[in-house]
Amino acid sequence: MKSRHVVGLALLLVALPAFAQNVLIKNATVHTVSQRGTLKNADVLVRGGTIAAVGSALAAGDAEVIDAKGKPLTPGIFGGLSGIGIEEVDGESESVDSEFNTHAPASDQQWRPELDLSLAFNPRSTRIPVARVEGITWAMLAPSEGDSIIGGEGSAVTLDGRFDAAIHASRSLYVFMGSQGAHRSGGTRAAQYLLLEQAIRESKAPGASSPNSLLHPAGREVLARYLVGGRVIFQVDRAADILQTLAFARRNGMKAVIWGGNEAWLVGKELAQAQVPVILNPLDDLPENFDRIGATLENAARLQRAGVRIVFSGNDSSQIRLVRQLAGNAVAHGLPWDAALAAITANAAAVLGLPNRGHIEVGQVADLVLWSGDPLEITNLPDAVWIDGKRMPMRSRQTELRDRYWPHVQANQAR
């Protein structure tokens, strides 16, 4: 009985946010993910939750001193577009808040761009410490595919256990295109543009909704905000669809981001010219459907060579910690190491509107990870994680279960 109380207390402590610390991390290999590049035997001073200095032989003052002994220090890792905190157990519908179904046919449904996923975020989800102890400090909430082309809005969230975790500057609208959009539009890709154009006309028209309207008044207000440079994340894979999406976004004043982009490398030049980034899974290499015939493990490297800003995201909300593995595999297929690290740190912050994260520079939010070795090698793990300058407990439900049962396993093996 006592061990159960100990485990329960430890799990409670995992979920509670710590206090900001003043800390000096000395003698680290600092991957700044900035123009300064990688600094050997460098120091990073954190005060009040932000990075106060980066250099050599910095004075600690009243700060706690940590000797990194040459180990890598990176910005906190981006966990990708995810349902973390809004999906607990995939097979239990009551614990999944990432999908909105109107249960209406395409001709009768009303779209709800005003759906805000951050309202359903649970910072005490057991999945969060599992990701955090492996260096994931923030992620972006994304809807699952529902029965509407427009999936609603998502925001970035920090993974430090705070209840006000959403970073609203990152708020983005999600739109599902390609074959999945066609399925929700009566069976043809042409109809998805027809319906989207109708929704845009409604967002510009005053007055009450009619019985045939796609949008409620609140939805009109939200969609209108995205027609003046708002960030719209389009999930789309086929090269031809990507080009049509770029043209649609340009006509309607949207700041486009491509999500998925299995065939994006085929139109890398056009993406670079339009300055449209791509959020992709570099392990997607199979033609799982007719939208992905051109999928390749070299997608990330080819896009990077074309001048496209790339960001990595996996496909499984319960395994966002594996984004490091995605980056490492991209390196194995031609992407430079520094570009792979940027794809899970600085690029993600820039694409999602968070200029004060993703780098190790003065004035940046102190999201930091001190690693046991190369962070893109999955056998290496964090020695310490800071979010907003707060040192995180390196415990999760998984580590608690390990510590509880592993001694018994060893005892049984010794018999």
Side-chain angles (χ1 to χ4, degrees):
M1 191 69 177
K2 180 179 178 181
S3 63
R4 292 182 181 178
H5 288 305
V6 171
V7 170
L9 177 60
L11 286 174
L12 177 63
L13 292 174
V14 165
L16 294 177
F19 294 101
Q21 300 166 292
N22 294 335
V23 60
L24 176 64
I25 305 168
K26 296 183 64 67
N27 304 318
T29 300
V30 180
H31 298 282
T32 67
V33 201
S34 71
Q35 292 183 348
R36 296 185 69 180
T38 299
L39 308 176
K40 298 286 188 178
N41 297 316
D43 304 343
V44 176
L45 178 64
V46 174
R47 289 192 178 279
T50 61
I51 297 173
V54 180
S56 300
L58 298 180
D62 61 350
E64 175 190 5
V65 177
I66 295 176
D67 187 355
K69 300 179 180 179
K71 293 179 180 180
L73 184 72
T74 70
I77 304 299
F78 170 61
L81 307 187
S82 167
I84 193 166
I86 56 175
E87 297 175 356
E88 191 70 26
V89 179
D90 294 340
E92 176 50 61
S93 60
E94 292 183 359
S95 72
V96 177
D97 282 298
S98 59
E99 182 176 329
F100 179 62
N101 288 304
T102 62
H103 300 294
S107 59
D108 298 330
Q109 66 176 285
Q110 284 195 306
W111 297 354
R112 306 308 296 263
E114 66 270 33
L115 179 73
D116 180 2
L117 288 175
S118 68
L119 299 177
F121 180 71
N122 176 21
R124 296 171 65 88
S125 167
T126 58
R127 289 184 174 184
I128 288 176
V130 173
R132 190 173 59 213
V133 299
E134 296 210 29
I136 309 299
T137 61
W138 67 288
M140 181 76 174
L141 298 182
S144 298
E145 299 174 21
D147 60 6
S148 170
I149 294 173
I150 297 180
E153 297 180 289
S155 299
V157 289
T158 61
L159 303 184
D160 56 356
R162 72 179 74 174
F163 284 101
D164 58 342
I167 308 173
H168 294 298
S170 65
R171 184 173 292 174
S172 306
L173 184 68
Y174 287 86
V175 179
F176 298 95
M177 303 292 281
S179 60
Q180 56 187 335
H183 176 71
R184 293 161 178 78
S185 307
T188 171
R189 284 173 169 81
Q192 64 190 348
Y193 295 103
L194 179 153
L195 292 173
L196 283 168
E197 293 287 2
Q198 176 185 337
I200 289 171
R201 287 194 298 273
E202 290 179 14
S203 72
K204 297 178 179 179
S209 299
S210 72
N212 295 320
S213 296
L214 285 169
L215 303 177
H216 290 272
R220 293 182 183 189
E221 293 178 10
V222 168
L223 184 56
R225 293 201 295 266
Y226 289 94
L227 305 180
V228 288
R231 186 183 307 103
V232 181
I233 299 176
F234 294 93
Q235 189 176 58
V236 58
D237 286 307
R238 195 169 75 171
D241 293 335
I242 292 172
L243 292 182
Q244 290 292 349
T245 298
L246 294 183
F248 170 80
R250 183 169 56 250
R251 288 195 307 271
N252 292 291
M254 298 172 171
K255 185 177 182 179
V257 176
I258 300 301
W259 174 22
N262 275 244
E263 292 192 347
W265 65 274
L266 289 168
V267 291
K269 179 180 178 181
E270 291 82 356
L271 285 162
Q273 289 176 342
Q275 297 184 356
V276 170
V278 177
I279 301 174
L280 70 145
N281 183 337
L283 286 184
D284 283 346
D285 68 327
L286 296 177
E288 295 180 356
N289 55 48
F290 285 98
D291 285 9
R292 301 182 178 187
I293 292 176
T296 171
L297 289 170
E298 295 183 1
N299 192 12
R302 293 176 184 179
L303 286 170
Q304 191 265 345
R305 288 196 295 269
V308 179
R309 177 173 277 167
I310 57 173
V311 178
F312 293 154
S313 175
N315 301 326
D316 186 349
S317 295
S318 66
Q319 300 284 358
I320 67 170
R321 59 195 176 87
L322 297 182
V323 71
R324 291 194 297 126
Q325 181 180 359
L326 303 184
N329 276 271
V331 173
H333 290 90
L335 186 69
W337 190 96
D338 288 342
L341 180 62
I344 55 175
T345 54
N347 285 2
V351 167
L352 297 173
L354 303 176
N356 63 340
R357 295 177 187 266
H359 306 277
I360 300 181
E361 293 182 313
V362 174
Q364 289 270 297
V365 172
D367 286 2
L368 300 168
V369 185
L370 181 63
W371 301 90
S372 62
D374 183 344
L376 303 190
E377 168 55 59
I378 61 172
T379 57
N380 295 320
L381 296 170
D383 288 340
V385 176
W386 292 266
I387 301 179
D388 280 3
K390 301 181 289 289
R391 188 164 183 173
M392 296 290 104
M394 300 300 288
R395 305 186 75 82
S396 70
R397 183 172 184 271
Q398 291 183 352
T399 65
E400 295 293 342
L401 290 171
R402 176 202 64 196
D403 294 344
R404 179 175 180 178
Y405 291 110
W406 182 240
H408 301 291
V409 173
Q410 289 180 309
N412 290 334
Q413 290 176 341
R415 290 177 183 173

